[in-house]
Amino acid sequence: MRVLLLFFCSGAAALIYEVVWSNYLKLTMGSTVQAQTVVLAVFMGGLALGNRLFGKRADALTEPLKWYGGVEIAIGIYAFLFTGLHGLADAIFVRLGRPLLEHPTALLLLKTGLSVALLAPPTILMGGTLPLIAAWLQKTSPDARRFSARFYSVNSLGAVVGSCLAGFFLVSWIGLAATLQLTGIINLLVGGLAIVMARQSADMEPPSTALGAPSPDPADNEGTDESPARPGLAIALVALTGGVSMGLEILASRSLILIFGGSLQAFSIVLMSFILGIGIGASVIASPRVARWPREATTFTLLLLGAALMGLFILTIEQWVEAYRWIQSGLAATRVGYLYHLALNAAVSLIVLGLPAGILGAVLPLWIRENSGASSKLGETVGRLLTWNTLGAVFGVLLTGFVLMPNLGLRGSLALLALVLVIAAAVIGRARLPRPLALAAPLALAAGIFSVTQVGGESWKLIVSSGVFRFRENEVDPQRMQQRRDHVELLFYEDGTDATVSVERGEISAKIHSTVLRINGKPDASSHGDMSTQYLLGHLPMMARPQSKDVFVLGFGSGVTAGALLGHPVKHIDIAENCKPVLHAAPLFAEWNRGVHTNKLVRIWPEDARAILKLGDRDYDVIISEPSNPWTIGVGSVFSRDFYEIAANRLKPGGIMTQWFHVYEMHDGILDLVLNTFNSVFPNMEIWDTNNGDIIILGSKEPWASTPEVFAKAYDRPRVKHDLESIGLPTPRSAFARQLASQRTAFAIPEGGAIQSDEFPSLEYAAPQAFFLGERATLLHLFDERTWQSRLASPAKRRDLSLFTDADMKIVFGEYLSVNTEIARYAGLRKLRDGKDSPIDFFNGDQPVPIIFRNQDEKSRLDRRPPDASENFRLLLDAEVSLILTPSDWKSSVDRIESILRANPPDANRTRDWNPAHYAAVASRVCMSEGDWARAQSLLKMGFAFENARELRYLQRIVNSVASAQQGN
C-alpha cells in the first residue's frame, strides 16, 4: 500500500511537470500548434523510450525498488536544474534561430532539438518507473500481473490530481519556478522513501499481503483456452487504442471547449476527465472481480462500446448543448456559482470524454494483466506494451491534429476514429468469437456511425460555433437555436489544427447586417460593432507617429486593423497569425480589410509573435497587439511584462506600442493588473475609448506629441479620413473625444501593484472567473479626462471639446458609445436635445459630474441636492456646481471647500453625509489645473488625513511628477 501511495505521488508530479515544462517551452519557442505538438511528442516519446530502455533491463535488477527510488531522485534533481537549463536553451534558440526565421522547417527542427535536449532526460526517467515497479512486483508478489495494472491505474489517478494542482492552484499561487521546485521535492521524498523501503524489504510483510492480494487461485486461468503470450496482437491493440484515445482527447476536448469556452480551467477540466477515465478504467480491470473476464471477448466489447459512445456524441451534440443551457440557466453570477459552473463542466466532460477514455484506457492494463502471466520478465513485457501504447498516442496526436481534423473536421474525424475501433473489434472478434456475433455487431455499429455522419453537419456547425458559453440565460429560450438557424447565414467554417473558425452573417436590424468572425465560438471581429476598435487600433498609433514606415501586428482577425494601415505611407507590415483558418476566412472581409492578406507590403508569418520579435532583425515604428480575450488559454502571455520588454526592444526610438483591452467581462483588479504591467515597461502612455466595451492603450519609452495638429497629417490621407469618418470622427478635433487619458495623467492611473509576468501568469487564472461573473471594470470612470479629471486635460483639449455641438455629439457617439457610462448618458441627452434650447442634466444621481463637452453658456438644471442634506453638504455641493458652471471663479469655491475641511477635522465619532476625500480631490485638481501646485499638495494632505483614497493617490502621483520635472529643470 505504501508503494502504491508513492506511485500515486509520482503520477501527480509527472502531470505537474508536463504542464509547467510546456509553459516554459511555449515562452521560448512560441505557442504555435506545431511547437506545442513537438513538445507533446517529445514528452511522450521520452516516456516511450524510457519504457523500452528500462523495461529491457528491469527484470535483471536485484533491487528494482531501489532503482525506482533512484530514478525519482534523479527526476527531482532535474526539476531544480530546469530553469537554468531553460534559460540556456532560450539563449541558444535566439542565437541559432535568427538566421532560420525565414525557413520554417529548419526552425521547427531547431525547436525539436531543443525540446529533446530539455525533456528527454527527465521523460526517459519517468518512462522507466512502471517497468521498474513491475519488475519489483514480479519478485515480491504472487499476483504481479494484476498489481501491475493496479499501479498503472493509481499512477493515472495521481496524474488527475497533478493536473488539478497545476491547472488551478500551484502556478497561480507560487509561480512556475517554485512549482517546479515543490514538485522536485515531492520526487526526492518519493525516491528517498522508496530506497528506505527497499532496504527494509527483507524485514517487511510480503508485499502481496500488504497490498491486500488474495492467494493465487488456479481457477483464475480455468475456463479459457486463451494463451497469455500473443505479443504481436497485444502490441497492435495497445498501440491502436493509445492512438485513438489521444485522438479522442483532442477531438472531444475541442468540441467541449466550443461549449464551455476556451479557458485554462476548461482545458484542465477536460484533461482531468480524460485521465480520470483512464485511471478508473484501469482500476476496474485490475480488480479481482473481473479476473475471469476473457481477454479477447472483453477487448472486443470495449472497442465496440468506445466506438458507440463516440458515435452517440456526434448524434447528440445538440441535446448536449441544450442540456448544458438548461442546467446552467439561472446560475447566480457568484463565486459559488463559478464553482458550480466548473463542476458542471467536469460532469459533462466525464460523460462525453471520460467514459469512452476509460473504456479504451482499460485495454492496456487488460493486456498487461493477461499477456504477462506466463512470463518471468514482467518488467520487459510491461515496458514493451507501454512503449507501443505511447508511440501509438504520439502517432494519434500527429494524425488527428495535422491530417484528420483539417481535412475531415471534428465530426468526420470522430466518426473515422470510431470506425477504426469497429474494424479492430471485427478483426479481434473473428479470432475467438462466434462468426455471426463477430461480424454482425461491428457491421451494425459501422452502419449506424456512417449514417450519423451523413446528416446534421450544418446543424453541428451552427451549434458549436454559437458561443453558447456566453449566453448567460436566466431562463432558457427553447427557440434560440432555431432562430439562429433561421437568421444566421454561415459563410465559412473550418476545424483547424489549433482552432475552429467560422464566419457568419446575421441581422442587426431590418436594414443592417453584420459579418462576424468567431474563433472557437467567441466573436473576435465583425463588420459592424467592432469597426471603431479595429480602425482605431490601426490609425491611432499612425496618427500619433505619422512618419511610421514599419509596423508589426499581433493577430490578423478580420484583417481590418492591418488593412487600415495601408491608408498610411507604410513600407512594410509584418503580421503574426498562426491560425490558418483565420487567414482562409480573410477574403470574406475584403470589403473592409482592403485585401490586406494579398498586399505586397504585407508579410504574414505563421509563427508566434514572441518568436518573431525575438528572432527577427527588423525594428518597428509601431507594434500593435490585438489578441483574443485574456480569459482564453495562452493569451495571457502577450499581456506579460516579459512580452512588453521584448516588444520594447524591437521598437525604434520613439516607437509606439499599441495594446487592445476590454472592460466587459473583466473587473477593476484585472484592468489594474494590465495597466500596471504595461506602464512598467512603457512609462509614457495614453488610454483611448473606442466603444462601450473596448479601450486602446498607447505606450512608448519616450513622450510623443499628441495634438490635433499632429493628427491632421493623417487626416490628409484620403483612405484614413474615410475610415475615421465612418466611425464618427470626421476631424482631428473630434478624434480627441475618444481620448480617455492623455500622457499628462494616464501614467498616474496604475498603482504600481501586481504585475503579469511569464513567471506568474496570474491573468489566465483570474480572467476566466471574471468572464463567468460577467463583471465590468469601471475603474477608468474616475480617471477620465472628459469627466472627473477634465480640469487636468490640456487647455486646448478642454477648449476644443467644449465647442462640440449636439450634432457633433451625435456623430461621435451615435453608433459607438463610450466605456464611461457618464459620457454615454450625457451624449444621449445631447442627442435627444438635438440643438433645442433646453437645459441638460449633468447630475448623476445627487452628484454633479463635470463634463468636458459642456458648453460654457449651456443651460443646466441645478437643484438636485438631497432634501435631507446637512448644511456642510449643501455648501460643498454648491461649490462643486459652481466649479462646473463658472470655472473662472474657482478660488472662492476652493476656499469654501478648504474651510469646511479645516472646520471638520478627522474624527472617528463624527458622522458625515459627505465624503471629505472626494472634496479634497475636487479642490486639489482645480488648483493643479490653475498651476497652484503648493495649495494642491496641501489639499491632498488634508484629504489623506481623512482617507487614503485611490483618487488622492492618483493626484499625488501627478503632483510628484510635476515636482520631479521642475527639480530636473
Side-chain angles (χ1 to χ4, degrees):
M1 183 61 70
R2 288 178 295 176
V3 181
L4 268 176
L5 180 59
L6 295 183
F7 210 54
F8 176 90
C9 295
S10 178
L15 248 293
I16 295 173
Y17 286 137
E18 181 180 351
V19 171
V20 175
W21 289 339
S22 296
N23 279 343
Y24 269 115
L25 290 175
K26 280 192 293 186
L27 295 173
T28 295
M29 303 169 194
S31 59
T32 64
V33 67
Q34 292 85 358
Q36 294 174 36
T37 303
V38 162
V39 170
L40 179 60
V42 170
F43 190 95
M44 299 182 72
L47 294 177
L49 184 57
N51 297 152
R52 189 61 179 155
L53 293 177
F54 280 86
K56 292 179 68 174
R57 295 164 176 79
D59 297 297
L61 300 174
T62 56
E63 295 182 283
L65 186 59
K66 183 184 289 188
W67 276 84
Y68 165 74
V71 165
E72 291 287 348
I73 290 174
I75 295 170
I77 293 173
Y78 190 85
F80 282 90
L81 299 175
F82 184 84
T83 51
L85 294 173
H86 170 261
L88 177 61
D90 186 61
I92 294 172
F93 177 69
V94 172
R95 180 159 188 172
L96 299 183
R98 280 177 177 160
L100 302 179
L101 186 58
E102 299 275 353
H103 309 282
T105 302
L107 187 62
L108 187 60
L109 289 175
L110 174 62
K111 294 178 181 180
T112 303
L114 290 174
S115 298
V116 170
L118 282 173
L119 297 184
T123 54
I124 289 173
L125 293 171
M126 289 177 186
T129 55
L130 187 54
L132 288 170
I133 289 293
W136 170 73
L137 287 169
Q138 184 76 3
K139 297 177 184 298
T140 57
S141 173
D143 198 8
R145 55 180 182 163
R146 183 171 64 81
F147 276 117
S148 294
R150 174 171 290 183
F151 270 81
Y152 173 79
S153 70
V154 166
N155 191 256
S156 298
L157 295 174
V160 175
V161 174
S163 178
C164 178
L165 290 173
F168 287 91
F169 305 108
L170 291 179
V171 175
S172 64
W173 287 356
I174 61 177
L176 291 173
T179 298
L180 271 183
Q181 293 166 5
L182 178 62
T183 311
I185 292 172
I186 293 173
N187 283 114
L188 294 176
L189 290 174
V190 167
L193 289 171
I195 291 173
V196 170
M197 292 169 64
R199 289 174 178 172
Q200 297 174 345
S201 60
D203 301 323
M204 291 174 59
E205 186 178 10
S208 58
T209 305
L211 290 168
S215 300
D217 184 357
D220 283 352
N221 291 323
E222 292 179 1
T224 176
D225 59 351
E226 293 177 306
S227 168
R230 296 188 64 184
L233 179 60
I235 287 172
L237 281 171
V238 298
L240 175 72
T241 53
V244 173
S245 293
M246 285 305 298
L248 170 64
E249 195 271 338
I250 292 172
L251 297 170
S253 63
R254 280 283 301 278
S255 301
L256 291 172
I257 291 308
L258 291 168
I259 301 174
F260 302 155
S263 68
L264 171 66
Q265 288 76 6
F267 271 101
S268 296
I269 286 173
V270 172
L271 177 61
M272 289 162 57
S273 300
F274 176 70
I275 302 172
L276 181 60
I278 291 175
I280 293 175
S283 297
V284 171
I285 291 299
S287 171
R289 296 182 180 86
V290 302
R292 296 176 182 272
W293 288 6
R295 178 187 61 217
E296 291 172 347
T298 301
T299 304
F300 175 83
T301 305
L302 290 174
L303 295 177
L304 290 183
L305 276 175
L309 287 173
M310 293 167 69
L312 188 63
F313 176 62
I314 298 171
L315 180 65
T316 60
I317 182 68
E318 185 169 359
Q319 286 70 34
W320 277 109
V321 170
E322 291 300 316
Y324 183 80
R325 289 176 60 201
W326 279 99
I327 298 172
Q328 180 108 323
S329 65
L331 189 61
T334 63
R335 284 168 176 78
V336 173
Y338 179 62
L339 294 177
Y340 172 80
H341 161 75
L342 295 178
L344 174 59
N345 291 359
V348 174
S349 298
L350 278 172
I351 297 171
V352 171
L353 176 58
L355 188 57
I359 289 170
L360 296 179
V363 173
L364 173 61
L366 172 65
W367 284 78
I368 287 177
R369 188 191 79 183
E370 298 293 338
N371 204 56
S372 49
S375 174
S376 61
K377 295 184 177 181
L378 179 59
E380 181 178 356
T381 302
V382 169
R384 182 171 59 248
L385 293 178
L386 285 172
T387 298
W388 284 102
N389 181 257
T390 308
L391 291 176
V394 173
F395 182 74
V397 168
L398 298 174
L399 181 67
T400 303
F402 293 106
V403 179
L404 298 185
M405 195 154 41
N407 292 286
L408 300 179
L410 288 172
R411 280 181 101 240
S413 299
L414 277 168
L416 181 60
L417 292 183
L419 290 173
V420 168
L421 292 179
V422 172
I423 294 170
V427 171
I428 196 171
R430 288 186 60 191
R432 293 289 179 179
L433 300 179
R435 185 173 294 272
L437 175 63
L439 292 179
L443 281 175
L445 184 55
I449 293 171
F450 180 77
S451 300
V452 165
T453 62
Q454 301 307 301
V455 295
E458 289 303 310
S459 181
W460 166 290
K461 294 175 182 178
L462 276 168
I463 289 168
V464 299
S465 66
S466 65
V468 64
F469 49 85
R470 297 188 77 181
F471 283 7
R472 295 194 182 92
E473 299 166 289
N474 289 323
E475 293 185 9
V476 174
D477 179 1
Q479 300 301 315
R480 184 163 186 167
M481 285 300 178
Q482 185 58 48
Q483 290 171 356
R484 177 170 169 77
R485 293 189 189 92
D486 294 340
H487 298 286
V488 171
E489 180 186 3
L490 198 62
L491 304 177
F492 174 88
Y493 178 96
E494 183 175 336
D495 292 314
T497 302
D498 51 356
T500 293
V501 177
S502 61
V503 178
E504 61 189 38
R505 188 170 184 266
E507 298 177 3
I508 294 179
S509 65
K511 296 182 179 180
I512 301 176
H513 291 75
S514 180
T515 302
V516 179
L517 173 75
R518 290 180 180 265
I519 300 178
N520 286 336
K522 189 190 74 63
D524 267 330
S526 71
S527 64
H528 187 71
D530 295 315
M531 290 303 290
S532 178
T533 300
Q534 293 171 124
Y535 275 147
L536 287 176
L537 268 168
H539 290 311
L540 275 177
M542 300 299 292
M543 292 160 66
R545 188 177 169 85
Q547 73 275 24
S548 298
K549 302 298 181 184
D550 298 298
V551 184
F552 181 88
V553 181
L554 187 161
F556 185 84
S558 63
V560 172
T561 294
L565 296 170
L566 296 176
H568 300 270
V570 295
K571 291 184 177 179
H572 188 83
I573 302 172
D574 281 326
I575 304 175
E577 180 54 69
N578 53 39
C579 184
K580 288 184 180 180
V582 168
L583 300 176
H584 296 165
L588 294 169
F589 291 91
E591 179 181 347
W592 305 278
N593 67 25
R594 299 190 172 105
V596 65
H597 56 291
T598 59
N599 192 283
K600 63 181 180 179
L601 298 178
V602 176
R603 172 74 182 269
I604 300 177
W605 297 85
E607 184 56 79
D608 180 80
R610 182 183 293 242
I612 297 171
L613 292 174
K614 285 167 66 174
L615 303 181
D617 57 2
R618 186 185 299 274
D619 289 336
Y620 299 97
D621 296 286
V622 170
I623 295 177
I624 299 172
S625 178
E626 50 171 339
S628 189
N629 301 62
W631 55 264
T632 306
I633 187 170
V635 174
S637 64
V638 298
F639 288 96
S640 73
R641 178 171 57 191
D642 307 77
F643 175 76
Y644 290 140
E645 288 173 343
I646 292 170
N649 289 332
R650 301 321 304 263
L651 283 171
K652 298 177 183 178
I656 293 178
M657 178 73 191
T658 309
Q659 177 69 64
W660 165 85
F661 199 63
H662 59 101
V663 301
Y664 59 89
E665 299 169 345
M666 287 292 111
H667 57 66
D668 287 337
I670 292 176
L671 180 56
D672 232 349
L673 174 71
V674 171
L675 293 177
N676 281 334
T677 305
F678 189 88
N679 190 229
S680 69
V681 177
F682 301 104
N684 303 282
M685 70 177 192
E686 296 177 350
I687 302 174
W688 293 75
D689 160 22
T690 65
N691 57 32
N692 64 344
D694 298 327
I695 61 172
I696 294 174
I697 312 168
L698 301 183
S700 179
K701 294 281 191 179
E702 304 169 15
W704 68 92
S706 187
T707 65
E709 291 72 27
V710 174
F711 281 22
K713 297 177 183 178
Y715 272 84
D716 289 338
R717 299 162 184 168
R719 288 192 289 183
V720 175
K721 183 175 177 62
H722 173 271
D723 290 347
L724 294 172
E725 285 178 341
S726 72
I727 57 173
L729 305 177
T731 66
R733 179 171 63 91
S734 65
F736 280 88
R738 290 288 176 186
Q739 190 185 64
L740 189 149
S742 67
Q743 294 169 66
R744 296 164 62 96
T745 64
F747 75 92
I749 299 175
E751 290 269 46
I755 296 290
Q756 163 82 355
S757 68
D758 290 345
E759 177 63 31
F760 285 91
S762 52
L763 190 58
E764 286 188 86
Y765 292 86
Q769 183 171 330
F771 163 73
F772 169 79
L773 297 177
E775 296 179 305
R776 184 178 177 89
T778 59
L779 172 72
L780 294 177
H781 292 193
L782 183 61
F783 307 114
D784 195 332
E785 287 184 13
R786 299 165 300 174
T787 53
W788 292 108
Q789 309 306 329
S790 55
R791 280 278 191 169
L792 301 181
S794 69
K797 182 178 177 181
R798 295 204 304 268
R799 180 190 65 248
D800 288 346
L801 297 186
S802 70
L803 298 176
F804 265 40
T805 65
D806 293 346
D808 292 331
M809 296 294 290
K810 187 175 183 179
I811 291 171
V812 174
F813 297 104
E815 183 175 359
Y816 303 100
L817 298 178
S818 170
V819 295
N820 189 334
T821 55
E822 290 165 342
I823 293 286
R825 183 186 67 85
Y826 179 79
L829 294 173
R830 291 284 296 267
K831 285 187 287 183
L832 287 173
R833 186 174 69 174
D834 198 19
K836 301 182 182 70
D837 187 19
S838 57
I840 287 290
D841 181 5
F842 61 91
F843 276 74
N844 188 351
D846 298 327
Q847 191 72 51
V849 181
I851 302 288
I852 200 170
F853 300 104
R854 186 186 167 278
N855 305 144
Q856 293 303 311
D857 57 349
E858 184 176 291
K859 297 179 181 179
S860 304
R861 292 187 298 210
L862 306 179
D863 193 11
R864 293 286 297 276
R865 295 175 296 183
D868 56 347
S870 65
E871 181 62 22
N872 280 334
F873 194 11
R874 288 173 177 269
L875 291 173
L876 289 167
L877 281 173
D878 288 345
E880 194 170 10
V881 168
S882 177
L883 288 171
I884 294 173
L885 296 180
T886 55
S888 59
D889 188 26
W890 64 274
K891 287 187 178 180
S892 62
S893 297
V894 170
D895 288 343
R896 191 183 316 169
I897 292 172
E898 185 174 8
S899 66
I900 293 175
L901 290 174
R902 292 189 183 279
N904 294 268
D907 186 343
N909 298 320
R910 187 186 303 274
T911 58
R912 301 182 180 87
D913 57 352
W914 49 280
N915 185 345
H918 166 73
Y919 285 101
V922 168
S924 177
R925 65 172 167 257
V926 171
C927 293
M928 292 163 65
S929 70
E930 298 297 334
D932 191 347
W933 295 97
R935 192 174 187 186
Q937 178 63 71
S938 175
L939 286 162
L940 287 176
K941 186 176 180 180
M942 293 175 62
F944 280 122
F946 289 94
E947 180 186 355
N948 185 22
R950 172 85 186 243
E951 186 178 12
L952 294 179
R953 299 196 299 272
Y954 157 83
L955 294 172
Q956 185 65 64
R957 287 190 286 274
I958 295 176
V959 170
N960 293 343
S961 175
V962 172
S964 177
Q966 290 174 346
Q967 290 175 1
N969 294 332

